[in-house]
Amino acid sequence: MTLLSLLLAAGCNQSSDKSADQPGVVANILDQTLPNVEEAPPAANAITPVESPPKIDTPPPEAAVAGLIPAAMQGRWTGAQDRCGDRSADLELTVTPDRLLFHESVGTVQSVTAGEDGRAAVEAAFTGEGQSWTRTLALRTSPDGKALTIVNDGTAVTRKRC
């Protein structure tokens, strides 16, 4: 056992670079297989570090997606007294970026004009109950985003978010 310990200790004290002591032993195999090879320049599509990108002023998100209903107004809504998920509720409404899906009609967004205080005027082409019509609705969310008021021909109806 002491002999084994001495051999291990002697092996640990030896240099790990055998190429200095023994001719023909290569420490770095790449140097032997590719002698005198220069590093290739970066490829044309290589990612190279650049300076900070220039500051580009971007319009607010609502202006960037003109013609779409603002994200704050999108979602599922129902009447204040209705139960969320009740598809038969008269005030059931789903708002997507380009559609207003009411209980018995669907409005396809034609244009959206953003107003003050998170308001939007949405012009939509509606179909429902065998009829077609175009209407502009005024939409406004409450400051906390939990209610949506829609004004249609002077009549305001407020729905809660589901």
Side-chain angles (χ1 to χ4, degrees):
M1 179 100 125
T2 23
L3 182 60
L4 181 61
S5 299
L6 288 173
L7 287 174
L8 284 175
C12 291
N13 290 333
Q14 289 183 355
S15 169
S16 62
D17 186 7
K18 303 270 186 200
S19 62
D21 301 340
Q22 300 174 357
V25 175
V26 177
N28 185 343
I29 191 103
L30 287 177
D31 290 343
Q32 181 185 10
T33 56
L34 302 172
N36 303 325
V37 174
E38 294 182 25
E39 205 169 305
N45 63 349
I47 298 173
T48 56
V50 295
E51 294 179 20
S52 307
K55 181 163 174 67
I56 299 172
D57 292 328
T58 56
E62 291 180 17
V65 270
L68 298 179
I69 296 175
M73 296 176 180
Q74 296 174 30
R76 292 191 50 236
W77 306 88
T78 194
Q81 304 304 315
D82 293 336
R83 184 175 47 90
C84 285
D86 182 3
R87 300 264 183 211
S88 65
D90 289 338
L91 295 179
E92 173 77 14
L93 168 65
T94 300
V95 179
T96 67
D98 61 348
R99 294 203 192 297
L100 298 164
L101 305 161
F102 289 93
H103 177 64
E104 294 180 342
S105 64
V106 175
T108 302
V109 173
Q110 304 297 305
S111 69
V112 176
T113 305
E116 297 177 10
D117 301 329
R119 297 171 191 240
V122 177
E123 181 182 356
F126 288 90
T127 58
E129 299 181 0
Q131 297 181 11
S132 298
W133 66 98
T134 300
R135 181 87 24 117
T136 300
L137 305 175
L139 281 69
R140 180 187 70 224
T141 55
S142 62
D144 63 2
K146 293 181 179 180
L148 176 69
T149 301
I150 298 178
V151 180
N152 178 13
D153 287 337
T155 304
V157 176
T158 300
R159 293 171 169 84
K160 67 180 178 184
R161 185 181 292 277
C162 290

